């Protein structure tokens, strides 16, 4: 049985053990935290072993103009800082050393998880995008002044410009609540749980009980339904794909809600590691820290949007994770930062650095700012000294070292072509993954933007 508070405390403790570099300044800077836990269930036992295997913090996303065609500077995501751990374990497996994570599968060159092993995703805040369009229950919960008309947006100033407030990440504080058909009542956040298959049709929906919703800064993708920007609950369009807001410029990154929904079908291992895996890797459980939260909205955004997808190739399925919320809040959440803020500290702002930690033997910690190593000067930008360990180029090179370490007789069939040179070549050669992605795009996300091939041709 997974206890949400135990999960949160493990993640927060792992963060506290990290060096000070890259962490927010107490009382002045805030950040978000995400982590992946490895869950091991022993045979004939109800107990589970939980281990934090990767962790990251950050608030900012690299804008389109800053993206690198050489794979040097990229927006980071949970799957990227987890990728290093998976590559390490596959290295051990192909080198005939024991891997506690993987065991040989039936097909040549393929591997699968050891029995009883699964993965859990923890995030200190509801993911940006669709899961953050949460019904409000009272005026004190609102992240910005009440919207009285469409034209008033961007003109009201409740101590801060409304337009700016709407576009910043959804980290404004209010107590977690759940609704009953009769009234609104506060409950401990850890009591929130919705298991796969649970129905919400038999009760009144959250949206029917409130007159407004929390705003998300993520923007609707071009070519699809747009936000109506109506007063109250009609401000946003729910269930649509969104891109993360940049700091003054557009980004190419889909919202965290959309990525999680996609991983629920394709897995978080990505196209490259799918060469080696017989089955996709999914998050069996998603735990959210104390923050604005709606169980119904989480289920709609992460599960229901892809629940109808079918005709997937072998090794892929539609995953419905267990959704939990913890009652423990991240010490550097925006809410806690506002509570700790003292006069003379200056304005509260998001932390400019991002921390990535992974349970690997070589260089487990990576601290970045604006997509490059934290503290580097302009003079070394574009050189290996400035590269993050998690940029696409570094991860691709790590993957190529895995391929080189694999005995030729044990190489997966999809990697036996002599025409594989670039990052793009290797991604496209992962045919099962690409077929699954084609079905997901066709049936659920036809407006998902295509990656710019010019950004994927490095080697």
């Amino acid at each position: 049985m997974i206890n949400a508070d135990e999960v949160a405390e493990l993640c927060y403790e792992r963060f506290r053990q990290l060096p000070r570099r890259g962490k927010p300044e107490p009382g002045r800077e805030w950040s978000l935290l995400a982590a992946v836990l490895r869950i091991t269930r022993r045979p004939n036992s109800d107990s589970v072993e939980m281990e934090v295997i990767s962790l990251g913090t950050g608030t900012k996303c690299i804008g389109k103009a800053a993206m690198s065609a050489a794979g040097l500077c990229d927006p980071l995501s949970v799957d990227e800082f987890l990728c290093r751990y998976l590559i390490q374990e596959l290295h051990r497996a192909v080198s005939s050393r024991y891997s506690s994570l993987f065991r040989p599968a039936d097909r040549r060159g393929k591997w699968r998880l050891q029995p009883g092993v699964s993965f859990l995703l923890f995030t200190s805040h509801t993911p940006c995008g669709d899961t953050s369009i949460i019904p409000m229950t009272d005026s004190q919960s609102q992240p910005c002044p009440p919207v009285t008309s469409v034209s008033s947006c961007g003109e009201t100033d409740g101590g801060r410009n409304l337009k700016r407030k709407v576009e910043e990440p959804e980290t404004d504080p209010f107590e977690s609540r759940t609704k009953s058909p009769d009234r609104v009542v506060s409950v401990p956040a850890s009591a929130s749980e919705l298991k796969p298959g649970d129905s919400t049709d038999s009760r009144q929906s959250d949206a029917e009980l409130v007159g407004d919703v929390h705003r998300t800064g993520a923007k609707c993708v071009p070519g699809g339904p747009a936000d109506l920007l109506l007063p109250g609950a009609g401000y946003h369009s729910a269930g649509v794909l969104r891109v993360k807001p940049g700091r003054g410029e557009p980004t190419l990154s889909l919202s965290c809600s959309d990525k999680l929904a996609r991983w629920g079908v394709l897995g978080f291992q990505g196209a490259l590691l799918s060469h080696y895996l017989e089955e996709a890797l999914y998050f069996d459980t998603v735990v959210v820290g104390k923050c604005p939260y709606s169980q119904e909205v989480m289920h709609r955004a992460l599960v229901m949007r892809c629940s109808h997808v079918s005709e997937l190739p072998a090794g892929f399925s539609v995953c419905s994770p267990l959704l939990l919320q913890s009652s423990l809040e991240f010490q550097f959440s925006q809410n806690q930062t506002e509570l700790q803020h003292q006069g003379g500290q200056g304005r509260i702002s998001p932390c400019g650095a991002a921390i990535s930690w992974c349970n690997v033997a070589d260089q487990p910690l990576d601290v970045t700012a604006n997509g490059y190593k934290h503290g580097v000067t302009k003079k070394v930008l574009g050189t290996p000294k400035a590269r993050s360990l998690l940029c696409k180029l570094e991860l691709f090179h790590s993957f190529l070292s895995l391929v080189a370490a694999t005995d030729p007789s044990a190489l997966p069939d999809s990697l036996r072509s002599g025409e594989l040179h670039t990052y793009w070549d290797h991604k496209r050669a992962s045919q099962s993954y690409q077929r699954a992605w084609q079905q997901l795009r066709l049936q659920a996300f036809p407006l998902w933007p295509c990656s710019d091939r010019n950004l994927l041709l490095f080697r």
Side-chain angles (χ1 to χ4, degrees), residues 136-151:
M136 296 179 184
T137 57
D138 56 62
S139 59
Q140 294 180 343
S141 302
Q142 298 184 25
C144 56
V147 178
T148 56
S149 69
V150 176
S151 61

Side-chain angles (χ1 to χ4, degrees), residues 125-136:
H125 198 276
T126 46
C128 69
D130 205 40
T131 61
S132 289
I133 304 175
I134 299 169
M136 296 179 184

Side-chain angles (χ1 to χ4, degrees), residues 29-44:
E29 294 181 320
W30 57 271
S31 192
L32 307 173
L33 180 147
V36 176
L37 281 70
R38 170 177 163 170
I39 308 297
T40 305
R41 291 176 169 84
R42 299 303 178 189
N44 305 317

Side-chain angles (χ1 to χ4, degrees), residues 393-442:
L393 181 63
E394 288 289 339
L395 291 178
F396 182 46
H397 287 174
S398 295
F399 174 77
L400 292 179
S401 70
L402 170 63
V403 175
T406 306
D407 188 281
S409 64
L411 203 62
D413 292 341
S414 56
L415 290 174
R416 291 175 175 270
S417 169
E419 302 300 317
L420 303 180
H421 304 293
T422 67
Y423 178 77
W424 168 262
D425 294 336
H426 285 79
K427 284 176 66 73
R428 296 301 301 172
S430 186
Q431 294 181 1
S432 292
Y433 182 91
Q434 297 300 339
R435 287 198 301 271
W437 181 209
Q438 183 180 33
Q439 290 298 328
L440 177 60
R441 187 191 294 270
L442 180 67

